[in-house]
Amino acid sequence: MGLRPNLLTRRAAGVASTTFALLLSTAAVGVVPAASAYSAAPDSTSCAEPTDAHADVHSDARVRGGAAKAAHKRHDPNELTAKQVQEREADFAAALRNSTLRSKSSLRTGSTEGQTVALAPISIPVVVHVIQRDSTRAGGNIPDSMINSQISVLNQAYSGATGGAATGFTFQLQKINRVTNASWYPIVQGSSGERAMKTSLRTGGKNTLNMYLGELSDDLLGWATFPKRTLDVMDGVVVLGESLPNGTATNYNLGDTGTHEVGHWLNLYHTFQGGCSGSGDGVSDTPAEREPAYQCPTGRDTCTATGKDPITNFMDYTYDSCMYQFTAGQASRMVNAWTVYRAAA
């Protein structure tokens, strides 16, 4: 599937891309698997079960930049293993069975993917924490207008307005919390600083999306936690501030790092999870994909199974201008995960 003719006009109302390059000054740091991170640019992946003292959340990172292939190899431990996926899917299936016994009408029933049925819109409260080194834009102080545009992008993407399936989710900005703390800047994935930041700032229940914005370590664009039965202080998404609409992260400044990370927060894997074998991302209507796609490789087909690579799916690694859709199967999976993991405040 190629680039849609009207793709670049899908986010109206002041959401335009820029041509400024974002120069990263942070040194490379070893990534400790901790949340669900999204790597971006010509070659990087990640998503993993933590191995340190914080081993209670997954990490899935999006990396960008010319050195992405090396970054991919460096961050490879963050990609979920087959065992980790099996454990997560077993828990998801058990949670669905328990929930179905209590209230069958509340689910898109069938499997962890399920059948699409009409459901009332699900409104997700959003609290945005802007982590700053100082009061300058270069120090992380992005304007409210970019945050408001990011919420608009989320609502367009998850409503199906940009193409693909409507998911039933809407996002309501509750608060913008600005914090100046040089010890948390940049935000380092899996670090004690990240844990201290989230322990201090996270608000709301399992249904509240906490989004942390700032400069990130390791060329990462963002990471996020997968849902669990018990609320964890690390729960939420971390996004490079300059990847928001009108940011300076060239090719990744239309807001879809946020879209991608929220997908993980709602229990979606990467489209390339598992490669060409096994159950892949656990969704039947996303064609198998051997490895992440970068830029916008129209017509790419890396697996023998039916269907070309889903390069326009929000859960791949392509440019923001290339991705525009979720599938009906992904929508069902997210709603089922919401019902069993996040619906209770």
Side-chain angles (χ1 to χ4, degrees):
M1 184 162 10
L3 192 62
R4 291 195 312 169
N6 64 336
L7 190 57
L8 296 179
T9 62
R10 64 200 164 107
R11 301 183 185 91
V15 182
S17 61
T18 69
T19 57
F20 296 104
L22 179 65
L23 301 178
L24 298 184
S25 59
T26 56
V29 190
V31 173
V32 179
S36 165
Y38 178 16
S39 324
D43 240 346
S44 173
T45 59
S46 49
C47 231
E49 195 72 57
T51 57
D52 70 348
H54 309 330
D56 50 5
V57 283
H58 289 78
S59 186
D60 157 352
R62 192 190 187 196
V63 182
R64 64 199 167 110
K69 179 167 284 189
H72 168 59
K73 293 181 183 300
R74 185 171 70 246
H75 299 304
D76 188 61
N78 280 3
E79 183 64 31
L80 286 176
T81 65
K83 180 180 179 180
Q84 289 162 351
V85 170
Q86 183 179 32
E87 290 171 348
R88 284 193 51 78
E89 292 306 288
D91 182 78
F92 189 18
L96 279 171
R97 285 193 299 272
N98 292 339
S99 183
T100 302
L101 289 174
R102 291 194 301 269
S103 177
K104 291 184 178 180
S105 63
S106 68
L107 291 174
R108 293 181 177 185
T109 58
S111 65
T112 54
E113 180 178 324
Q115 301 297 316
T116 301
V117 297
L119 292 176
I122 299 169
S123 180
I124 299 178
V126 183
V127 177
V128 175
H129 307 281
V130 181
I131 310 304
Q132 307 168 179
R133 180 184 59 211
D134 52 47
S135 61
T136 66
R137 171 73 177 267
N141 186 22
I142 62 172
D144 286 0
S145 60
M146 290 174 63
I147 296 171
N148 289 325
S149 291
Q150 177 66 71
I151 299 300
S152 177
V153 165
L154 291 177
N155 279 315
Q156 290 183 56
Y158 282 82
S159 71
T162 62
T167 69
F169 293 100
T170 62
F171 300 84
Q172 301 293 327
L173 180 62
Q174 302 293 306
K175 180 181 179 181
I176 298 175
N177 176 35
R178 295 183 180 274
V179 180
T180 302
N181 188 330
S183 66
W184 295 344
Y185 193 93
I187 304 171
V188 179
Q189 185 194 25
S191 68
S192 58
E194 181 192 6
R195 177 164 285 270
M197 174 189 74
K198 291 182 174 179
T199 299
S200 174
L201 301 180
R202 197 197 181 284
T203 62
K206 292 188 291 184
N207 67 328
T208 301
L209 173 61
N210 280 247
M211 181 176 289
Y212 302 87
L213 307 178
E215 179 71 356
L216 309 186
S217 67
D218 287 329
D219 257 358
L220 296 178
L221 288 171
W223 59 88
T225 54
F226 290 109
K228 303 192 308 179
R229 299 199 198 196
T230 304
L231 179 63
D232 188 281
V233 71
M234 299 297 282
D235 184 75
V237 306
V238 179
V239 173
L240 177 71
E242 293 294 349
S243 75
L244 269 61
N246 289 326
T248 59
T250 303
N251 296 318
Y252 305 100
N253 57 359
L254 296 179
D256 282 329
T257 290
T259 304
H260 177 111
E261 296 307 339
V262 172
H264 287 306
W265 189 77
L266 291 170
N267 211 37
L268 294 185
Y269 299 131
H270 292 132
T271 52
F272 49 85
Q273 176 65 47
C276 296
S277 61
S279 60
D281 65 351
V283 180
S284 62
D285 59 2
T286 57
E289 185 177 24
R290 183 179 301 280
E291 57 193 6
Y294 299 97
Q295 300 176 9
C296 195
T298 303
R300 184 177 187 255
D301 191 3
T302 56
C303 296
T304 57
T306 303
K308 294 183 178 179
D309 293 357
I311 66 167
T312 59
N313 195 283
F314 286 121
M315 302 313 294
D316 208 334
Y317 274 6
T318 50
Y319 286 162
D320 282 13
S321 60
C322 187
M323 54 175 59
Y324 62 83
Q325 66 177 325
F326 290 113
T327 66
Q330 287 174 316
S332 291
R333 181 180 171 88
M334 286 188 281
V335 170
N336 283 349
W338 175 269
T339 302
V340 300
Y341 289 129
R342 295 198 179 279

